[in-house]
Amino acid sequence: TPAIGVHWAAGDTVTEAARFRQGAIDMIGGHPPVDIWLQLLWLEGPRTPSGDRTLALATTGLAPFVGREIEFQPAALPPAVIGDRVLGTVVYLLANGPVLKDGDTLGVSENERVRVRHRPTGYRMGIPVFTLAVERLDATS
């Protein structure tokens, strides 16, 4: 059927038909077309005590694959870093299934870990989430 685009309802995304076809080919090759399936929702967080801006990031469209969305808790990190943490977690979950346990940490660096928590709901009511929160470790930890 001729089409100019595809609406992916779970992620509330619209993708050009040719890009959707290419995404299907990429998926067969082991590269999930995350940009087709997911929408990233950026949220302004509270200012830090020193006045720095914080951002949060939530996914829409991951739940059909792993039963939960991701909500990255407000952090004073550059948007590219937050996006990298979330997209890395999405790709990991798509490849391995919902294997992240409540309380697990994702290794980011010697001084930074991202703690995973399971919550029955997040910013959007009634949607189960993995919350991701940055934890800074001191040099003695």
Side-chain angles (χ1 to χ4, degrees):
T1 303
I4 60 170
V6 176
H7 177 242
W8 189 261
D12 198 21
T13 61
V14 176
T15 305
E16 180 185 10
R19 172 65 190 109
F20 192 85
R21 283 190 298 274
Q22 183 60 49
I25 293 166
D26 294 346
M27 185 174 61
I28 292 167
H31 305 286
V34 174
D35 61 317
I36 292 173
W37 294 335
L38 293 160
Q39 184 178 161
L40 301 177
L41 308 169
W42 292 92
L43 305 164
E44 188 81 29
R47 295 273 176 179
T48 67
S50 62
D52 294 328
R53 179 182 188 201
T54 66
L55 292 172
L57 183 58
T59 63
T60 297
L62 184 62
F65 300 100
V66 296
R68 296 175 178 274
E69 296 295 340
I70 291 175
E71 291 185 356
F72 191 95
Q73 300 302 294
L77 294 171
V81 172
I82 294 170
D84 183 61
R85 302 293 187 270
V86 170
L87 289 175
T89 304
V90 165
V91 170
Y92 178 79
L93 289 168
L94 289 173
N96 297 289
V99 296
L100 295 177
K101 306 290 185 236
D102 187 57
D104 281 354
T105 58
L106 306 174
V108 177
S109 73
E110 286 187 27
N111 297 323
E112 182 182 297
R113 296 281 183 263
V114 175
R115 177 81 53 194
V116 177
R117 293 287 180 204
H118 292 203
R119 302 280 186 242
T121 192
Y123 296 117
R124 294 154 295 172
M125 299 307 290
I127 298 172
V129 295
F130 294 107
T131 61
L132 306 180
V134 174
E135 294 181 350
R136 300 229 180 257
L137 305 176
D138 62 37
T140 61
S141 295

